[in-house]
């Protein structure tokens, strides 16, 4: 029987790559995204079309058409606001009803806003950053961990989240984003202590500058013409691919990572050095 995951932020970026990586490793996945824009934010978010394209591509067929892993198979799409416990809880219920349980809750969904000092940041944008980037993982923990604990003993459940190099490295005009991501790191450490010897672990990855739509928006906030300058800040002198961050999440979700809990692993090209 395949292991089962719920992945948020699945329409694009690291979330989409995580869905594909888990599916390739034989997982059954509920791919969750809000799949609509947030009126509080000035840039477009993932769409329904992108979410369904991810599900189709997870099938691995040459044309992207489902071949058993995609929609109706082992990977299904679910539209939900990840800060809404009822909506996200429905995704967890879908995983249990469709696939028989839950083994990994993976909170990837995130947004970015700023470009001005914190005291000048519009309140609605502040609310979006704190609500999605920290409130989303908290909601994922509150609705996902009970399902992980419903697996019989001995269990190998995994709660995973995405932090950021901004959690430990101060970045001007992104103070709210850094605060939210530092909160994710604290959340992971607290959950690891609370979960103890239940067989469920809690870990996070902390990406550096990764080639995603969020990084494109970061460039705009800083008045840059492209994301190229971010590459130069990382010792490896390039941007990360979303698949590289997703590979760490896929490993953490697996059964070989059981000795690791409470960790926030830098997958950042050395940015946090």
């Amino acid at each position: 029987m395949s292991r089962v995951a719920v992945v948020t932020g699945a329409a694009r970026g690291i979330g989409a790559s995580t869905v594909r990586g888990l599916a390739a490793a034989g997982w059954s996945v509920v791919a969750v995204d809000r799949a609509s824009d947030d009126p509080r934010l000035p840039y477009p978010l993932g769409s329904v079309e992108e979410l369904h394209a991810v599900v189709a591509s997870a099938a691995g067929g040459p044309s992207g058409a489902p071949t058993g892993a995609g929609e109706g198979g082992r990977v299904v799409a679910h539209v939900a606001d990840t800060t809404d416990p009822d909506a996200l809880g429905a995704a967890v219920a879908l995983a249990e009803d469709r696939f028989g349980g839950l083994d990994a809750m993976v909170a990837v969904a995130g947004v970015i806003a700023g470009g001005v000092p914190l005291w000048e940041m519009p309140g609605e944008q502040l609310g979006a950053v704190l609500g999605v980037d920290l409130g989303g993982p908290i909601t994922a923990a509150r609705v996902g961990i009970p399902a992980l604990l419903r697996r019989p003993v001995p269990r190998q459940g995994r709660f995973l989240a995405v932090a950021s190099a901004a959690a430990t490295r101060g970045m001007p005009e992104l103070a709210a984003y850094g605060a939210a991501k530092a909160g994710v790191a604290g959340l992971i450490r607290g959950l690891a202590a609370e979960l103890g010897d239940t067989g469920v672990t809690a870990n996070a990855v902390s990406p550096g500058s990764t080639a995603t739509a969020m990084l494109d928006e970061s460039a705009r906030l800083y008045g840059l013409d492209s994301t190229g300058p971010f590459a130069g800040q990382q010792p490896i002198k390039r941007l990360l691919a979303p698949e590289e961050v997703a590979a760490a999440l896929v490993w953490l979700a697996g059964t070989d990572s059981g000795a690791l809990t409470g960790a926030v692993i830098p997958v950042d090209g050395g940015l946090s050095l």
Side-chain angles (χ1 to χ4, degrees), residues 32-35 38 40 78-88 132 139:
V32 181
D33 202 278
R34 120 183 225 119
D38 188 327
R40 299 171 295 179
H78 183 81
V79 174
D81 182 337
T82 57
T83 68
D84 181 336
D86 292 332
L88 194 54
V132 176
T139 301

Side-chain angles (χ1 to χ4, degrees), residues 79-111:
V79 174
D81 182 337
T82 57
T83 68
D84 181 336
D86 292 332
L88 194 54
V92 171
L94 175 60
E96 293 187 295
D97 293 344
R98 176 75 64 93
F99 301 123
L102 185 67
D103 301 290
M105 187 76 186
V106 189
V108 184
V111 298

Side-chain angles (χ1 to χ4, degrees), residues 55-173:
V55 170
S57 67
S63 66
T67 59
E71 201 74 68
R74 289 190 296 104
V75 183
V76 296
H78 183 81
V79 174
D81 182 337
T82 57
T83 68
D84 181 336
D86 292 332
L88 194 54
V92 171
L94 175 60
E96 293 187 295
D97 293 344
R98 176 75 64 93
F99 301 123
L102 185 67
D103 301 290
M105 187 76 186
V106 189
V108 184
V111 298
I112 198 162
V116 294
L118 178 66
W119 54 92
E120 296 178 9
M121 187 175 182
E124 64 273 13
Q125 291 185 14
L126 176 62
V129 169
L130 296 179
V132 176
D133 293 348
L134 179 55
I138 289 173
T139 301
R142 287 173 60 82
V143 302
I145 289 176
L148 298 174
L149 292 172
R150 283 193 282 272
R151 284 295 204 192
V153 176
R155 61 178 72 88
Q156 294 177 307
R158 306 287 183 256
F159 180 83
L160 303 175
V162 174
S164 169
T168 55
R169 174 175 175 164
M171 296 185 178
E173 301 184 347

Side-chain angles (χ1 to χ4, degrees), residues 243-261:
E243 293 79 8
E244 293 178 293
V245 181
L249 287 167
V250 171
W251 179 78
L252 286 169
T255 57
D256 291 337
S257 65
L260 198 67
T261 194

